Amino acid sequence: MGLDMYLSRVTRETKVCWRKANAIHAYIVENHAEGDDCTSVELDRDSIKELRNRCTYVLSNRGLAQVLLPTQSGFFFGSTEYDEDYFEELERTEKELTEVLRDGTWNYLEYQASW
């Protein structure tokens, strides 16, 4: 068991999948949701770009991690350390979101988390 999260098109075609990436989850919940109750959240292209850009900024200056993409603790949320696993997850997220943004066939994606 753990924090599982998905970013999908309305067709339920999963675009990005995370496991225990609590900093990503915390950012989306804090900026786009009305509470952390695992309901679907619609993210438009600008919201996806902002998340990708935050990943880019943190990767270029790791000292920004606690400010731009802070970790969040929770029973199923995994590590809260700013270690190599944290930065590898941001690298993967940045790469995958860049690919998602190249696809011009969507206006918003649906974020869903569960635990």
Side-chain angles (χ1 to χ4, degrees):
M1 286 192 132
L3 174 66
D4 296 324
M5 304 117 64
Y6 306 93
L7 189 60
S8 305
R9 292 180 75 175
V10 174
T11 61
R12 300 291 184 226
E13 172 192 356
T14 299
K15 293 294 192 180
V16 181
C17 182
W18 295 274
R19 176 127 178 102
K20 297 186 180 186
N22 60 64
I24 302 298
H25 179 72
Y27 170 79
I28 292 172
V29 168
E30 178 71 25
N31 293 283
H32 301 285
E34 295 180 20
D36 193 0
D37 58 2
C38 292
T39 57
S40 298
V41 177
E42 289 183 5
L43 300 174
D44 62 16
R45 294 184 79 81
D46 288 338
S47 299
I48 301 294
K49 285 179 190 176
E50 175 62 24
L51 176 55
R52 192 260 329 257
N53 291 345
R54 283 176 180 254
C55 291
T56 301
Y57 298 147
V58 170
L59 290 168
S60 66
N61 182 350
R62 291 183 173 199
L64 295 174
Q66 292 180 337
V67 175
L68 294 179
L69 288 171
T71 59
Q72 176 183 6
S73 63
F75 186 71
F76 298 117
F77 284 23
S79 174
T80 57
E81 299 297 316
Y82 297 94
D83 55 12
E84 284 309 306
D85 290 337
Y86 171 89
F87 293 105
E88 286 174 9
E89 191 64 38
L90 292 191
E91 287 174 8
R92 186 181 70 80
T93 298
E94 177 190 41
K95 179 181 175 183
E96 291 192 30
L97 293 182
T98 297
E99 287 300 313
V100 165
L101 288 163
R102 286 189 180 127
D103 176 359
T105 64
W106 59 274
N107 292 319
Y108 70 92
L109 297 177
E110 184 179 87
Y111 173 79
Q112 179 72 57
S114 67
W115 58 80

